[in-house]
Amino acid sequence: MRRDPSFPRRLALAGTALLAALWATPAAWAQSGWPTKPVKIVVPFAAGGTTDILARAIAPELSKAFGQQFIVDNRAGAGGNVGADIVGHSAPDGYTLLMGTVGTHGINRALYPKLPYDPIKDFVPITLVAAVPNVMEMNAERAKQLGITDVQSFIKYAKAHPGKLNMASSGNGTSIHLAGELFKSMTGVFMTHVPYRGSGPALMDMVAGNMDVMFDNLPSSMQQIKGGKLLPLAVTSAKRSRALPNVPTVEEAGGAALKGYEASSWFGLLAPAGTPADIVTRVQQETAKALASPAVKEKLEAQGAEPGGITSAEFAKMIDAEHLKWAKVVKASGAKVD
């Protein structure tokens, strides 16, 4: 059989074309270069809250892993919607990530009539960073003045003085807000809700005595609880927290009226939809490594957080389930935000 003399040349050209096509794909580009500049992690709440604490716990670890700075950028407002919207409409190039929450990706779709972003279509989940209980807490001095020592005495006082207690939250639609609304709907008490732009500012007013009660994420309140400034009445999870083993759950402390009460929080990394799968996988893997390291794991667990690290697919399934769960909670509580 006669050999075609042009065959080697045509084969070489075909190989060159194939390689060019491969390197033109986002995944191949990601493998070759990303990241070549700093990566921004948007925190949709003010500094000092649990979302911020968790982002700042993993950012240095990711910086070391990738050789580029991972910078925390606080963009507070509208219960996390402002920051989530920024990331949801950013370029899907791996340089803008979101520290999402149960609020931005589990609650807000049911709570807000209109969202500037779609929590499912506009994002690709990367990994769960941590799950935490909320803690029902009071300004310790205020609780002493009012004779409140536990959940039962709190309910008794609140019913006798409707509207006299101010309930702080990190913003409308956050898990902190909804945990309080669920408590109100199940007990029939009325507290005046005062939303802030994050846990940090709300905690400052709690410690100063300007606010009475808050259902804060445990990590952001732990230091003030240990310092005696805040009195923990109960945790909002189904089980007690290992970080506060002597503090009962709301269900345990509340009796029949609060049977079945549960309103925990979670936080995770997400990227704009269309972000190359290779980038998503690499960030997930390095985040999981960081969360499993003794230093980071012990730090988070001491603050009441349970480190995550699940895959992108597992996190996506979790978010879908959270949508269904919190839609029922929002409906039951009657909470709405215009």
Side-chain angles (χ1 to χ4, degrees):
M1 183 173 65
R2 185 179 179 183
R3 183 177 180 182
D4 184 351
S6 66
F7 178 75
R9 182 173 179 272
R10 286 191 288 110
L11 181 62
L13 289 174
T16 301
L18 177 61
L19 285 173
L22 285 173
W23 283 111
T25 63
W29 172 82
Q31 290 175 339
S32 65
W34 184 91
T36 60
K37 62 182 181 179
V39 177
K40 183 166 57 179
I41 300 177
V42 173
V43 170
F45 298 98
T50 298
T51 318
D52 184 69
I53 290 172
L54 293 173
R56 294 182 189 278
I58 64 169
E61 304 300 319
L62 293 176
S63 296
K64 287 187 288 185
F66 289 104
Q68 287 287 347
Q69 288 297 307
F70 278 66
I71 302 168
V72 175
D73 183 14
N74 298 87
R75 297 295 188 94
N81 291 343
V82 171
D85 183 39
I86 290 172
V87 178
H89 292 94
S90 292
D93 54 11
Y95 290 102
T96 306
L97 308 178
L98 176 72
M99 180 60 81
T101 71
V102 64
T104 61
H105 284 75
I107 295 173
N108 289 1
R109 173 182 274 184
L111 191 69
Y112 288 80
K114 293 182 180 180
L115 280 181
Y117 64 93
D118 188 310
I120 301 298
K121 295 180 180 179
D122 292 341
F123 295 88
V124 55
I126 297 176
T127 189
L128 174 72
V129 172
V132 305
N134 290 10
V135 56
M136 181 184 178
E137 61 196 14
M138 288 192 71
N139 174 280
E141 187 60 34
R142 179 71 168 150
K144 184 177 180 180
Q145 292 172 357
L146 301 179
I148 297 174
T149 58
D150 53 22
V151 172
Q152 293 288 357
S153 57
F154 178 92
I155 295 172
K156 183 178 179 180
Y157 179 88
K159 286 188 173 181
H161 304 86
K164 294 294 183 180
L165 293 174
N166 292 318
M167 182 184 78
S169 83
S170 54
N172 287 317
T174 62
S175 67
I176 295 170
H177 172 207
L178 264 291
E181 291 295 339
L182 183 60
F183 184 92
K184 288 163 64 176
S185 70
M186 293 179 73
T187 59
V189 304
F190 174 68
M191 299 176 281
T192 302
H193 176 222
V194 182
Y196 288 76
R197 293 171 67 85
S199 286
L203 281 172
M204 289 178 65
D205 269 3
M206 280 286 293
V207 172
N210 298 324
M211 289 288 114
D212 301 311
V213 62
M214 187 173 176
F215 290 74
D216 191 30
N217 304 139
L218 183 53
S220 50
S221 282
M222 184 62 78
Q223 184 176 351
Q224 300 298 342
I225 290 173
K226 289 182 176 179
K229 298 293 185 179
L230 297 176
L231 173 68
L233 299 179
V235 292
T236 66
S237 48
K239 298 180 180 179
R240 294 193 182 197
S241 169
R242 287 181 292 179
L244 292 175
N246 295 324
V247 177
T249 67
V250 171
E251 182 178 30
E252 285 178 323
L258 288 163
K259 184 174 177 57
Y261 181 100
E262 195 271 327
S264 297
S265 301
W266 54 260
F267 306 82
L269 285 174
L270 302 102
T275 299
D278 178 68
I279 293 177
V280 172
T281 299
R282 290 170 65 195
V283 175
Q284 183 274 322
Q285 291 175 343
E286 292 301 336
T287 303
K289 287 180 185 178
L291 293 171
S293 68
V296 175
K297 184 178 180 181
E298 290 172 11
K299 180 180 179 180
L300 296 187
E301 289 181 342
Q303 298 180 76
E306 182 180 339
I310 58 179
T311 67
S312 174
E314 290 169 335
F315 191 27
K317 289 181 180 180
M318 175 183 162
I319 290 174
D320 287 340
E322 287 290 289
H323 275 298
L324 297 175
K325 169 189 170 181
W326 284 101
K328 294 177 182 178
V329 173
V330 170
K331 183 177 181 180
S333 71
K336 289 292 177 184
V337 178
D338 295 326

